[in-house]
Amino acid sequence: MKQYEAELVLDAKAKLGEGPSWDERTQELLWVDIEGFKLHRYNPATGEDQAIEVGEHIGAVVPYTEDEAIAALFSGFYRIHLQTGEKIAIHDPEEGRPGNRFNDGKCDPYGRFIAGTMSLSDEKKAGALYSMDTSGNVRLLLSEVSTSNGLAWSADRRLFYYIDTPTLTIRAFDYDIEDGSIGNARVITEVDDADGFPDGMTIDEEGMLWVARWGGRRVSRIDPATGEVIAEVQVAADNVTSCVFGGADLDELYITTARGEREPDDGTLDGGLFRVRLGVKGTRTVAYNLGQPVNW
């Protein structure tokens, strides 16, 4: 099995780093600190990281326009201005459910924003998965989700891969790129929690899944055809939360982690942002409202 080791690029000390996406227009990484109530913009060229206070849980962020991003906040979907921090509400699919928050999300190859929720008190099957189309209309894709997490699409756009963390499985669904519907769910692999729980996920140009492992100090490269772990990235943080491909050639894997309520001076790198350069390229982050299928 091929082994890699990630390097720390930002000692962010995030309480719960998550939801990264790569903005190819600006060559910047957008990511969030869910429990720190912050949206981050990291510029690899300068090493600078801008933190935008959003005042509530923020589960994921995706590129939108030059000045704005789309985010899944505690109170629903928003446009957020990347300079002023102004928030413009779009829709809250879980209005009246104060026990839930959004956890992870990204755009499908057409530009729809897909994001899911989870219980703040770890209640099982209290969350759901939603799709916001390019007109801002939101519909339910899945109910009875416990901890909505990693998402990825195959290169031909026909398969949607999805992780509900406590199930310890990765499921595949048939995906209709024209209307954004899913169906024919099946488990493609079961994950050994001894190596960490499955969390955020991305996919490379060879169709292999890269899965962050909460509690496992690693990201696993998994062949969805066989379920076999074929490579691993070692990360110097206990709780690895998500990952996304970035860089000018999309051959750099950026990795978010969490530190929880640990003291800032405890000497660990938990909550840091990591990066590893790989011998394989990833798929691009799709911006919201693209309006046409992407060919990776």
Side-chain angles (χ1 to χ4, degrees):
M1 183 191 305
K2 194 161 188 177
Q3 296 283 340
Y4 303 88
E5 186 170 346
E7 62 172 336
L8 180 75
V9 295
L10 182 68
D11 190 11
K13 302 188 187 307
K15 289 184 178 180
L16 183 49
E18 252 283 11
S21 59
W22 180 256
D23 191 332
E24 64 181 356
R25 296 164 300 187
T26 63
Q27 292 292 292
E28 292 179 328
L29 184 79
L30 300 174
W31 64 284
V32 305
D33 182 351
I34 296 177
E35 297 288 350
F37 299 176
K38 293 183 179 69
L39 187 163
H40 289 262
R41 296 172 68 193
Y42 172 70
N43 186 327
T46 64
E48 295 180 357
D49 182 72
Q50 175 193 1
I52 302 169
E53 296 274 356
V54 298
E56 57 185 293
H57 292 94
I58 174 169
V61 60
V62 293
Y64 180 39
T65 67
E66 184 176 338
D67 298 320
E68 292 183 323
I70 301 294
L73 303 186
F74 177 82
S75 56
F77 297 122
Y78 281 79
R79 290 163 44 200
I80 299 182
H81 197 283
L82 295 173
Q83 295 299 329
T84 67
E86 179 187 9
K87 299 187 300 184
I88 300 174
I90 302 173
H91 182 76
D92 183 4
E94 295 207 338
E95 187 176 3
R97 301 186 69 182
N100 280 3
R101 68 162 174 82
F102 275 95
N103 189 58
D104 201 356
K106 63 182 62 173
C107 287
D108 77 356
Y110 197 85
R112 304 177 186 92
F113 188 31
I114 316 299
T117 60
M118 60 175 285
S119 167
L120 287 166
S121 60
D122 295 324
E123 180 183 351
K124 293 182 178 179
K125 299 185 178 181
L129 183 69
Y130 299 94
S131 173
M132 181 170 71
D133 69 19
T134 55
S135 298
N137 301 309
V138 178
R139 66 169 169 171
L140 178 70
L141 291 182
L142 290 172
S143 60
E144 296 188 347
V145 172
S146 293
T147 305
S148 189
N149 244 315
L151 313 93
W153 286 265
S154 62
D156 63 7
R157 309 186 301 272
R158 295 180 179 178
L159 291 179
F160 168 57
Y161 299 105
Y162 179 65
I163 292 172
D164 180 0
T165 293
T167 67
L168 296 176
T169 64
I170 302 174
R171 284 184 288 170
F173 296 78
D174 292 342
Y175 199 78
D176 188 325
I177 191 61
E178 295 302 322
D179 67 10
S181 62
I182 62 175
N184 190 27
R186 61 273 194 193
V187 173
I188 60 168
T189 187
E190 296 185 6
V191 175
D192 186 351
D193 61 355
D195 294 327
F197 288 80
D199 205 307
M201 172 172 59
T202 191
I203 191 167
D204 63 35
E205 66 175 3
E206 296 177 2
M208 303 296 109
L209 301 172
W210 294 80
V211 181
R213 308 297 291 273
W214 177 274
R217 301 178 69 88
R218 73 191 72 194
V219 175
S220 301
R221 189 187 191 206
I222 297 175
D223 184 340
T226 64
E228 180 185 3
V229 176
I230 56 177
E232 286 187 332
V233 179
Q234 301 301 316
V235 183
D238 288 339
N239 295 317
V240 184
T241 56
S242 194
C243 54
V244 69
F245 282 95
D249 296 323
L250 291 180
D251 60 351
E252 302 172 359
L253 190 70
Y254 284 88
I255 302 165
T256 53
T257 66
R259 72 179 292 107
E261 298 299 328
R262 292 183 178 181
E263 294 297 324
D265 58 353
D266 70 349
T268 72
L269 300 181
D270 297 75
L273 178 66
F274 294 80
R275 179 181 62 199
V276 59
R277 290 182 169 87
L278 303 167
V280 62
K281 293 184 179 181
T283 54
R284 58 183 281 210
T285 295
V286 177
Y288 174 69
N289 206 25
L290 181 71
Q292 58 185 7
V294 170
N295 288 314
W296 282 312

